[in-house]
Amino acid sequence: MKKANGYDYGECRVCGNHFESKKINQDFWIKKRLVVVENVPAGVCPQCGEKVVKADVGKRLARILADAKSIAKAPTISVPSVVYSNRKAA
């Protein structure tokens, strides 16, 4: 179903609120590397943050992520990584 301002993603299966159409940055871990795909059209729940994409967007994401040459050419940044510990900080 189409809405005047974009696609109607329906209701969130987690909390029941209506999804809002947004552009998001979606992250994926591939072979221990973080890959971020920017400006992905998605439905985002304003209540719980659940995200969904249309099937054609999911297929396009799969093609993007399967293109190892394109990913290798993409700009990279350093991302801090810390290890969770149950011990209290001093």
Side-chain angles (χ1 to χ4, degrees), residues 3-90:
K3 287 176 36 176
N5 62 349
Y7 184 78
D8 183 355
Y9 290 93
E11 293 181 355
C12 177
R13 292 184 185 200
V14 175
C15 70
N17 280 294
H18 202 82
F19 285 110
E20 297 177 353
S21 292
K22 296 196 180 223
K23 297 276 180 132
I24 63 169
N25 294 339
Q26 185 63 56
D27 56 285
F28 300 90
W29 283 95
I30 302 173
K31 296 183 181 178
K32 298 186 179 184
R33 292 184 63 196
L34 176 63
V35 176
V36 178
V37 181
E38 297 178 333
N39 297 316
V40 177
V44 180
C45 178
Q47 178 68 31
C48 71
E50 180 74 5
K51 296 177 260 185
V52 296
V53 297
K54 298 189 312 182
D56 63 316
V57 173
K59 289 176 185 175
R60 177 73 181 126
L61 285 170
R63 286 193 302 273
I64 290 168
L65 297 172
D67 187 354
K69 288 181 183 178
S70 178
I71 290 174
K73 291 179 186 177
T76 61
I77 62 171
S78 176
V79 178
S81 177
V82 296
V83 177
Y84 174 83
S85 173
N86 285 333
R87 292 184 284 166
K88 292 183 180 179

